[in-house]
Amino acid sequence: MKADIIQSSSVSKPHDNEKKKKLYAEEDISKLAVIKSNDTIARKYMMCVAAASVAEGVTYPLDLTKTRLQIQGELSSGAANAKYRGMFRTAMGIAKEEGFLHLWRGMLPALYRHAIYTGFRMSAYEEIRNQLSKEDKNGFSLWKKVVAGMMAGGLGQLMASPTDLIKTQIQMEGRRRLLGKPPRVEGMTDAFRKILKQGGVIGLWRGCWPNVQRAALVNLGDLSTYDSVKAWILDNTTLEDNYITHCMSSGCAGLVGAIMGTPADVVKARIMNQATDQFGRGLVYKSSADCAMQTIRGEGFLALYKGFLPCWLRMAPWSLTFWLSFEQIRKAAGATAW
């Protein structure tokens, strides 16, 4: 009799535990259903844009410094003996000669760029990741991260390339005026109108291919490296998923992205900054390959890595600021974690 009671109680306990687990699972599913109802593509897109705007505002002076360093020394700038020597002197020179707020020259088209580029690449990456990992029990493997990152980054940049062209030209106006040259553009609207007049709609995509290549390589480094490094840190160290891990992961992601993307970034900046004829064709470089070859022949191979330090130092804080802001914005909006 006692044995039967013990046996029945031992049978009932697993049943009770199973019932509790089932209730917990049902509760979790109901919570997820409520959360996922807010995860529309439009909401996710806006959260990406908001986080990117915060990151861009914080790190934009480094982008301006990087562009100035990359373009100096080329024939089309007429400043072969330019005085910029390093990012700190460049930034101080811009603030002293042009004004402190000019460190944010070209900020508006940069924000428009991220409204297209970052909003698309992050949303596309998430969708590609979900599709590629649907039937894979091992999860989102490295090669899939690489494919998703490159596809999302390349397509996003192709869509946003006109805003990058306008931003690059505005960034160089302060330097041109100090050299005594007449201004080419008076602002974002004027730059857009002149580019459209010279080269038509196609002219808005001048220099887009090195731009797309750079974006694909940078996103390969940024997204896949961040995912992989963070996973390795959490699996092989005692560090938790906190700001220290985020700093280390984003630093590595920025370094890999800068190494892979800087040469294409230099080529992109020079093609976009060159003078054009009445048909919108470049007067100095015929193509991306021609620009790279002229740069190497005239200034050496390492010229392709001009502005590498500010590029890396910008990517690391940009990634950190973006990811921290993005996760907090999603949490505040009641959306699922990315």
Side-chain angles (χ1 to χ4, degrees):
M1 181 72 176
K2 188 175 182 180
D4 292 340
I5 293 173
I6 294 173
Q7 187 176 0
S8 68
S9 64
S10 63
V11 171
S12 64
K13 281 183 180 179
H15 179 72
D16 291 341
N17 291 335
E18 185 179 348
K19 187 177 180 181
K20 286 180 181 179
K21 287 182 180 179
K22 186 176 180 181
L23 288 172
Y24 292 149
E26 288 173 351
E27 185 180 355
D28 291 340
I29 291 170
S30 65
K31 287 179 180 178
L32 285 173
V34 172
I35 294 174
K36 285 186 176 180
S37 65
N38 293 328
D39 278 0
T40 62
I41 294 176
R43 280 174 60 87
K44 290 189 285 188
Y45 192 95
M46 293 303 297
M47 288 186 285
C48 293
V49 173
S53 298
V54 173
E56 191 69 14
V58 171
T59 63
Y60 186 80
L62 286 171
D63 183 56
L64 177 63
T65 303
K66 175 199 70 175
T67 302
R68 293 285 181 92
L69 285 170
Q70 288 173 339
I71 291 177
Q72 74 168 3
E74 64 170 330
L75 295 175
S76 62
S77 71
N81 296 318
K83 60 183 177 180
Y84 290 154
R85 295 293 183 270
M87 72 168 200
F88 292 110
R89 290 184 182 178
T90 302
M92 292 298 294
I94 293 170
K96 183 178 179 181
E97 297 169 3
E98 303 172 37
F100 178 74
L101 292 180
H102 279 234
L103 287 169
W104 280 268
R105 178 187 284 271
M107 178 74 177
L108 188 57
L111 293 177
Y112 287 152
R113 171 183 178 265
H114 278 289
I116 302 170
Y117 169 63
T118 300
F120 179 84
R121 77 180 177 103
M122 293 299 296
S123 302
Y125 181 86
E126 189 171 2
E127 291 301 316
I128 293 170
R129 180 180 64 183
N130 294 340
Q131 292 297 323
L132 290 179
S133 58
K134 264 185 178 180
E135 299 178 358
D136 189 355
K137 296 180 181 179
N138 297 322
F140 198 47
S141 57
L142 180 60
W143 76 267
K144 291 183 177 181
K145 294 175 186 176
V146 170
V147 171
M150 293 188 72
M151 286 179 62
L155 289 173
Q157 186 54 54
L158 182 62
M159 296 170 62
S161 190
T163 59
D164 215 17
L165 174 60
I166 294 170
K167 181 195 74 171
T168 301
Q169 293 198 357
I170 292 175
Q171 284 179 336
M172 293 308 299
E173 279 307 301
R175 183 60 181 157
R176 283 178 59 83
R177 295 176 189 185
L178 285 176
L179 292 171
K181 296 183 179 182
R184 289 191 302 188
V185 296
E186 297 294 341
M188 185 180 69
T189 305
D190 183 52
F192 176 80
R193 186 170 57 250
K194 287 182 177 178
I195 293 169
L196 197 62
K197 183 179 179 181
Q198 288 181 345
V201 176
I202 296 177
L204 291 169
W205 274 266
R206 176 160 56 90
C208 73
W209 295 119
N211 223 353
V212 169
Q213 293 162 9
R214 174 193 174 274
L217 292 170
V218 166
N219 279 277
L220 182 157
D222 182 33
L223 297 176
S224 61
T225 302
Y226 184 88
D227 278 351
S228 301
V229 171
K230 182 180 176 182
W232 186 89
I233 291 173
L234 294 176
D235 291 341
N236 296 280
T237 69
T238 57
L239 293 175
E240 297 179 356
D241 191 0
N242 52 28
Y243 70 94
I244 298 176
T245 302
H246 299 160
C247 287
M248 296 174 67
S249 302
S250 63
C252 292
L255 176 60
V256 175
I259 290 172
M260 302 187 71
T262 298
D265 199 27
V266 171
V267 171
K268 175 212 73 173
R270 293 191 173 196
I271 287 179
M272 287 185 168
N273 186 62
Q274 70 175 327
T276 58
D277 61 17
Q278 58 181 341
F279 301 106
R281 294 175 298 198
L283 298 177
V284 182
Y285 309 117
K286 297 178 182 179
S287 63
S288 301
D290 180 52
C291 179
M293 292 304 298
Q294 285 195 44
T295 301
I296 293 172
R297 281 198 300 264
E299 304 168 53
F301 177 78
L302 291 180
L304 292 175
Y305 281 90
K306 276 190 174 180
F308 171 78
L309 183 59
C311 185
W312 176 37
L313 292 180
R314 181 179 186 268
M315 281 186 179
W318 196 98
S319 295
L320 177 61
T321 307
F322 171 77
W323 286 111
L324 289 176
S325 302
F326 186 45
E327 292 290 359
Q328 290 303 314
I329 289 171
R330 289 181 73 106
K331 183 179 179 181
T336 55
W338 193 84

